[in-house]
Amino acid sequence: MPKQGKDYIVFPLDFASVKDAREYVKLLDGKVGTFKIGLELFIDQGPSVVEMVKNLSRAKVFLDLKLHDISTTVQRAMERVANLGVDFVTVHCSSSIAMLEKAVKAGQGKTQILGVTLLTDNDADTLKSAGFKDKFVKDPHLLVMERAKMAFESGCSGVVCSGKEVAKIKKEFGKSFFAVTPGIRPEWSILENDDQKRITTPGQAITLGSDLLVIGRPIRDAADPSEAAQKVIKEIEASL
Ligand code: C5P
């Protein structure tokens, strides 16, 4: 079946309580393609939260663990993750190619590995103090591209990147290499103290070639989350 508008939406279950997470899974089942479970909920609830999502919904499950350790440890962790039956897991691209390759192998094709290129709270100052070469301090996008290359060469299914980087990544590594973009803000969403800086609208992200759009607060904090998801679906479908 061709991909529908809802299939592009990843809704992060960024909740402190499993009760709230469960409510939103019920509310948004059939309106989003993927539910993302982050560290907050996974550390609190463990694998049972994956079961909860799978029992209540037909959506895919994205476990945002952002793994980063010596390659053997990541491999062993990934072997456990593959048994959970999740569709996507994140692994940092900031270590060795071997770490990424072992993660991909341990995913056994059942769990797709998405590389985290550069966390969005990094900037020239943090890169400089972490000892990065001047060329990366001056242009962090170069680092994103280096790390996307590592992810591509080690067999990852794609990367997490900003909407602004999608076109370049697609051009370099091809259409089938997944671009997952957070920082999505529909024009109608008004959020107080929004911490996302480099934002794109759902329509722009689709036009740029993004495969999965992580959209949290514009849906979660809307007066009617279900209606907000429906509006995002419409905007995505208009841009396909
Ligand atoms: O749409 P909203 O800003 O609420 O989405 C927040 C979600 O996006 C969180 O789950 C966060 O982990 C994820 N995320 C992000 N920035 C990145 C990568 C992921 O905000 N660079």
Side-chain angles (χ1 to χ4, degrees):
M1 199 158 75
K3 217 167 154 185
Q4 298 173 286
K6 73 170 176 58
D7 300 326
Y8 290 84
I9 304 177
V10 178
F11 181 75
L13 295 168
D14 292 333
F15 299 100
S17 104
V18 70
K19 186 170 167 281
D20 290 341
R22 189 181 298 116
E23 286 313 307
Y24 272 79
V25 172
K26 285 189 201 159
L27 191 64
L28 297 175
D29 179 39
K31 298 198 172 69
V32 304
T34 305
F35 286 106
K36 180 166 90 70
I37 299 166
L39 288 174
E40 182 184 15
L41 205 52
F42 194 70
I43 288 171
D44 193 52
Q45 296 291 316
S48 69
V49 72
V50 174
E51 276 308 300
M52 180 274 281
V53 175
K54 287 163 77 90
N55 287 338
L56 291 177
S57 155
R58 292 148 292 159
K60 292 185 175 176
V61 180
F62 179 154
L63 195 51
D64 196 6
L65 294 181
K66 296 191 174 71
L67 298 173
H68 185 180
D69 210 315
I70 59 168
S71 55
T72 305
T73 301
V74 167
Q75 176 186 341
R76 292 170 70 102
M78 264 312 301
E79 282 164 0
R80 300 276 76 77
V81 170
N83 288 341
L84 297 179
V86 299
D87 300 279
F88 304 104
V89 170
T90 41
V91 178
H92 276 285
C93 299
S94 45
S95 190
S96 64
I97 285 257
M99 184 186 86
L100 294 168
E101 282 173 349
K102 286 191 181 176
V104 170
K105 196 165 170 224
Q108 302 164 42
K110 292 191 280 188
T111 302
Q112 302 197 55
I113 309 298
L114 300 170
V116 176
T117 51
L118 183 63
L119 294 173
T120 37
D121 57 359
N122 277 288
D123 57 17
D125 287 339
T126 62
L127 292 177
K128 192 174 167 59
S129 56
F132 279 89
K133 287 181 188 162
D134 279 351
K135 67 171 184 174
F136 295 130
V137 174
K138 278 192 197 121
D139 187 359
H141 289 293
L142 290 179
L143 189 57
V144 171
M145 292 308 289
E146 288 278 334
R147 290 180 170 176
K149 186 164 177 267
M150 283 172 74
F152 179 74
E153 289 179 349
S154 55
C156 290
S157 301
V159 286
V160 181
C161 63
S162 91
K164 316 274 181 212
E165 287 148 359
V166 174
K168 218 169 162 198
I169 284 172
K170 290 282 179 179
K171 187 165 175 254
E172 194 77 19
F173 307 111
K175 277 198 172 154
S176 58
F177 190 60
F178 263 45
V180 181
T181 52
I184 306 289
R185 293 291 178 262
E187 267 163 21
W188 44 263
S189 84
I190 302 153
L191 301 171
E192 275 177 33
N193 305 322
D194 199 353
D195 53 2
Q196 296 280 15
K197 301 286 179 244
R198 294 181 305 149
I199 57 171
T200 38
T201 67
Q204 284 166 343
I206 293 295
T207 306
L208 289 163
S210 181
D211 302 282
L212 290 173
L213 282 54
V214 180
I215 314 178
R217 284 163 288 182
I219 294 175
R220 189 193 72 187
D221 298 345
D224 183 340
S226 179
E227 187 196 42
Q230 204 59 52
K231 269 160 82 175
V232 174
I233 291 173
K234 272 201 175 157
E235 187 174 336
I236 289 173
E237 288 179 346
S239 303
L240 286 174

